[in-house]
Amino acid sequence: MCGIFACHQHPDVGKFKATAIRMGKQVRHRGPDWSGNHTANNTILVHERLSIVGVDTGAQPMLNEDESVALAVNGEIYNHKILRKRLREPYPFKTHSDCEVIIPLYQEHGIDAPKYLDGMFSWVLHDKKQDRLVAARDPIGITTFYIGRSSTNPTSVYFASELKCLHPVCDQIEAFPPGHVYDSKTDKLTRYFTPKWLMEPSLVPTIPLDLTLLRESFERSVRKRMMAEVPYGVLLSGGLDSSLTASIAQRENLRLQREYARKQAYLNSGVNTPQVNGDTNGQIPTADSNGDVADEELAGIDEDYRLHSVPVLSQLNSFSIGLPDAPDSKAAAEVARFLGTKHHSMHFTIQEGLDALSDVIYHLETYDVTTIRASTPMYLLSRKIKAMGVKMVLSGEGSDEVFGGYLYFHAAPDKKAFHEETVRRVKNLHLADCLRANKSTSAWGVEARVPFLDKEFLEVAMNIDPAEKMITKDRIEKYILRKAFDTSDTPGAKPYLPKHILWRQKEQFSDGVGYGWIDGLKDEAAKMVSDEQMVEATIRKEKPHWGDDIPDSKEAYWYRCMFDEHFPPYCASTVMRWTPTWSKQTDPSGRAIATHEQAYKDGKKVEQ
């Protein structure tokens, strides 16, 4: 991840520049590799870079040839190689960065440019000739992004990757809505991502289930996200979602290693590389007559979804974290052995987690109980991942929202309600699991990529008849995803995962790292918050800036107080609380749902 801060139409941008650079520095943890800024007219863009693709030439803000267009981006554009080839007019690319293609897309398509992008992104572009600023966020909101205003400078508009950049200079801040583009010409946000499943959630899909399509579209999604020029790995909790992601990534990593070895062998022999089993392009990539690197040497996928990246590690790294004897850690170690990844199992103590809470809330910029519980182990793990020199990890967020994997989905009354709830959860991911994955890892300069939220995969998964997703006595949660990767009925097919892992019941991450973690948080909150404080907040309204958003537990009260230490009251409007639907439980833990630890065998409920 990178970090962005930008201001358009500042009344004195020259005097404001020092402040803008200082605000950008607030997110240097997101982009520790390089800093840059660009000023034109009354607009300034500040960028803190984490280099993963185009490492040698991708410094930002990027400029077009006559320096009239400036661009600052946080994210990855997975189809950048395809887009380069499809431009109507040749464009003199200056870098190997996947993000540079946004400039010619804007020049050709204006504010429609985001429609063509396949990736996770938030970006700000300034057109000096028109004095026009355009900003956009990816369809689901995988990268965090905010828009702000200041009552002291009402003509200005501000953008940043995190709240901590904005609240010192803004007194009105909102989360930049996913799938939208801002245009200073109209000073409005416009939705560009408009799939039918998102725009008409009450319209129940009727497309029949195609397990092969489901499997292949997810495999393509994982391959896209392996685009990198630096060491990377996978977060492996031992649950279904991360284990499938790791399995596919390991298969692709081994294929890339074989391809790379063949290319090196033929390079050493002085002849061209023949195509072998359809997994090479035939010719050794070379520089063109101008000395530029050939297209095949750019990291990324081609039109056939083939990945072209020189492997940077001989083994795929996998990472897990938990308390000693945590259920997820044991499963993760077993999956890693099965796949052959280089596994790193980290342990933390309850006290280490408690000691990190204030820092976690500072980086997360939320007081939501579920998010904080799950983010703390992820935050601790990310620091260790960074210390090992790994900059990017694949992660399994989004699957539970897409397939109704949370245990409370057992109580869905019918398929219409089931589908509407999955749409609602996906729409709110930018305030929940996407925020957690992005900010927990970015706190240490690590980038998390989430293949379950690929827009092409979503088009497949969200349009399946939801009757196929519903949980019954014969179908465990996420049954169709498990079935899509179950090769037991295909003679000779290599299994993706051990069967009992493929059919293992859901553990929410904050539970799976060890049940003692949540219990420890509750016990500590009971010490920190008195009964009288709860009464004062609920009845006497001793904290008027909380309004009607009163914590319903001592744990929630404790987190809100820590949030208030870091952020002014108006930042609270960007926070959403995660609570289960169709449940009387106020505690969001999966253990609070009655169906937790029901017995299943091959996806079917076993009577006990």
Side-chain angles (χ1 to χ4, degrees):
M1 285 295 129
C2 299
I4 297 171
F5 175 82
C7 179
H8 179 58
Q9 292 292 9
H10 194 279
D12 191 346
V13 74
K15 183 182 289 187
F16 181 67
K17 182 176 180 179
T19 299
I21 291 173
R22 190 168 69 251
M23 293 302 99
K25 188 178 178 180
Q26 299 304 304
V27 285
R28 187 160 293 170
H29 51 271
R30 298 179 66 91
D33 294 337
W34 198 248
S35 303
N37 67 84
H38 177 79
T39 304
N41 303 343
N42 293 317
T43 297
I44 184 166
L45 310 183
V46 180
H47 189 266
E48 301 291 337
R49 188 185 184 213
L50 179 68
S51 53
I52 293 180
V53 176
V55 172
D56 55 342
T57 59
Q60 295 190 39
M62 297 179 183
L63 304 174
N64 67 340
E65 197 167 25
D66 66 2
E67 300 189 354
S68 63
V69 176
L71 173 71
V73 187
N74 168 33
E76 308 292 343
I77 310 303
Y78 304 123
N79 63 336
H80 73 109
K81 290 175 62 174
I82 300 169
L83 293 172
R84 285 182 181 225
K85 291 181 178 180
R86 294 181 181 176
L87 294 171
R88 292 197 295 257
E89 299 291 335
Y91 181 80
F93 286 94
K94 298 179 180 180
T95 78
H96 302 148
S97 170
D98 53 296
C99 297
E100 189 180 6
V101 74
I102 294 171
I103 295 177
L105 280 178
Y106 161 75
Q107 292 174 331
E108 292 188 2
H109 302 288
I111 65 167
D112 285 337
K115 294 180 180 180
Y116 297 87
L117 301 175
D118 183 3
M120 58 176 187
F121 54 82
S122 45
W123 50 263
V124 180
L125 178 149
H126 182 244
D127 184 332
K128 181 179 179 180
K129 292 177 181 177
Q130 299 186 56
D131 197 22
R132 181 188 195 186
L133 185 133
V134 177
R137 190 178 185 187
D138 67 70
I140 304 302
I142 300 166
T143 60
T144 56
F145 202 35
Y146 298 88
I147 182 171
R149 308 272 184 172
S150 170
S151 56
T152 58
N153 295 315
T155 61
S156 304
V157 58
Y158 301 77
F159 303 87
S161 298
E162 296 186 4
L163 287 172
K164 56 184 66 68
C165 299
L166 289 181
H167 74 75
V169 293
C170 297
D171 48 24
Q172 304 168 47
I173 304 173
E174 299 175 5
F176 193 107
H180 282 69
V181 59
Y182 169 85
D183 185 2
S184 66
K185 274 189 172 182
T186 60
D187 194 30
K188 290 182 179 178
L189 288 152
T190 304
R191 175 175 283 281
Y192 70 84
F193 183 63
T194 57
K196 197 169 186 178
W197 61 265
L198 183 66
M199 303 307 292
E200 300 180 56
S202 61
L203 188 63
V204 180
T206 58
I207 296 177
L209 172 64
D210 184 333
L211 291 173
T212 300
L213 177 62
L214 187 64
R215 182 184 70 251
E216 291 179 349
S217 60
F218 185 62
E219 288 177 318
R220 288 197 296 268
S221 178
V222 174
R223 285 202 298 273
K224 292 179 191 179
R225 283 153 183 80
M226 294 175 69
M227 175 183 79
E229 298 172 8
V230 296
Y232 58 85
V234 291
L235 297 183
L236 181 56
S237 72
L240 174 68
D241 310 323
S242 65
S243 297
L244 281 178
T245 301
S247 177
I248 297 165
Q250 175 70 332
R251 288 181 178 218
E252 181 65 7
N253 181 62
L254 294 174
R255 185 196 69 80
L256 285 170
Q257 295 290 345
R258 291 192 300 269
E259 179 181 331
Y260 183 65
R262 282 197 295 269
K263 286 183 178 180
Q264 293 304 305
Y266 276 91
L267 274 173
N268 293 334
S269 69
V271 297
N272 286 332
T273 306
Q275 185 165 339
V276 181
N277 297 328
D279 62 357
T280 73
N281 274 341
Q283 299 295 314
I284 291 295
T286 58
D288 63 20
S289 58
N290 296 320
D292 295 328
V293 175
D295 175 73
E296 287 81 358
E297 283 295 273
L298 295 172
I301 57 163
D302 60 21
E303 283 95 338
D304 297 320
Y305 294 97
R306 290 179 299 188
L307 182 67
H308 301 281
S309 298
V310 175
V312 292
L313 291 173
S314 58
Q315 278 185 288
L316 182 68
N317 287 276
S318 57
F319 304 92
S320 68
I321 188 168
L323 300 175
D325 297 320
D328 274 2
S329 295
K330 294 177 181 178
E334 181 181 356
V335 173
R337 287 193 298 271
F338 180 84
L339 299 178
T341 63
K342 186 176 182 180
H343 190 57
H344 311 274
S345 183
M346 313 291 185
H347 294 99
F348 76 106
T349 66
I350 293 174
Q351 189 58 52
E352 285 172 334
L354 295 174
D355 291 344
L357 277 176
S358 181
D359 287 343
V360 169
I361 291 171
Y362 171 75
H363 281 287
L364 289 180
E365 303 174 325
T366 186
Y367 48 84
D368 172 58
V369 170
T370 302
T371 305
I372 293 166
R373 287 176 174 178
S375 294
T376 304
M378 199 171 189
Y379 171 87
L380 296 172
L381 178 60
S382 296
R383 186 174 191 179
K384 294 188 176 183
I385 291 172
K386 179 66 174 194
M388 294 178 61
V390 172
K391 284 187 170 185
M392 183 271 283
V393 288
L394 303 179
S395 192
E397 278 75 17
S399 174
D400 290 311
E401 287 75 10
V402 172
F403 293 100
Y406 294 114
L407 297 182
Y408 75 79
F409 274 90
H410 280 255
D414 53 55
K415 71 176 188 178
K416 182 176 185 291
F418 190 103
H419 175 70
E420 289 175 343
E421 178 66 2
T422 61
V423 174
R424 186 181 76 85
R425 283 295 182 196
V426 171
K427 287 175 72 172
N428 288 330
L429 270 168
H430 68 291
L431 301 172
D433 280 19
C434 285
L435 180 149
R436 169 178 58 79
N438 185 274
K439 290 181 177 176
S440 297
T441 54
S442 294
W444 299 107
V446 176
E447 176 175 284
R449 299 182 182 176
V450 286
F452 279 105
L453 299 178
D454 179 86
K455 69 177 183 180
E456 294 179 355
F457 176 72
L458 287 174
E459 193 63 22
V460 173
M462 293 301 291
N463 282 308
I464 295 170
D465 186 335
E468 299 284 3
K469 298 180 180 180
M470 292 190 70
I471 305 162
T472 69
K473 63 181 180 64
D474 294 321
R475 291 194 171 195
I476 193 173
E477 65 275 354
K478 295 184 284 194
Y479 177 89
I480 61 174
L481 179 63
R482 302 171 195 270
K483 194 64 178 175
F485 287 91
D486 188 344
T487 61
S488 58
D489 295 332
T490 307
K494 181 180 178 181
Y496 286 82
L497 294 170
K499 193 166 186 177
H500 64 280
I501 296 290
L502 186 65
W503 295 100
R504 180 182 176 225
Q505 190 178 33
K506 165 74 179 173
E507 287 277 12
Q508 290 179 203
F509 184 62
S510 53
D511 290 326
V513 297
Y515 297 144
W517 170 233
I518 291 178
D519 295 338
L521 288 169
K522 291 179 177 180
D523 291 344
E524 189 69 15
K527 299 175 187 176
M528 301 299 293
V529 181
S530 68
D531 294 340
E532 183 180 0
Q533 285 174 303
M534 291 296 293
V535 171
E536 288 176 349
T538 306
I539 299 175
R540 300 175 194 161
K541 307 292 184 182
E542 291 294 320
K543 293 186 179 291
H545 64 282
W546 287 1
D548 294 328
D549 189 15
I550 306 299
D552 55 9
S553 69
K554 290 185 177 182
E555 186 183 2
Y557 185 107
W558 186 32
Y559 297 159
R560 180 62 197 268
C561 289
M562 282 190 270
F563 178 88
D564 289 349
E565 291 175 2
H566 296 301
F567 305 103
Y570 51 85
C571 288
S573 63
T574 66
V575 177
M576 182 197 76
R577 290 203 210 177
W578 196 102
T579 55
T581 307
W582 308 308
S583 172
K584 295 179 181 179
Q585 295 289 338
T586 57
D587 191 311
S589 167
R591 278 187 296 158
I593 306 299
T595 52
H596 183 257
E597 291 186 345
Q598 282 187 347
Y600 281 87
K601 180 177 176 59
D602 298 343
K604 296 184 178 182
K605 186 177 177 182
V606 178
E607 297 300 329
Q608 294 179 296

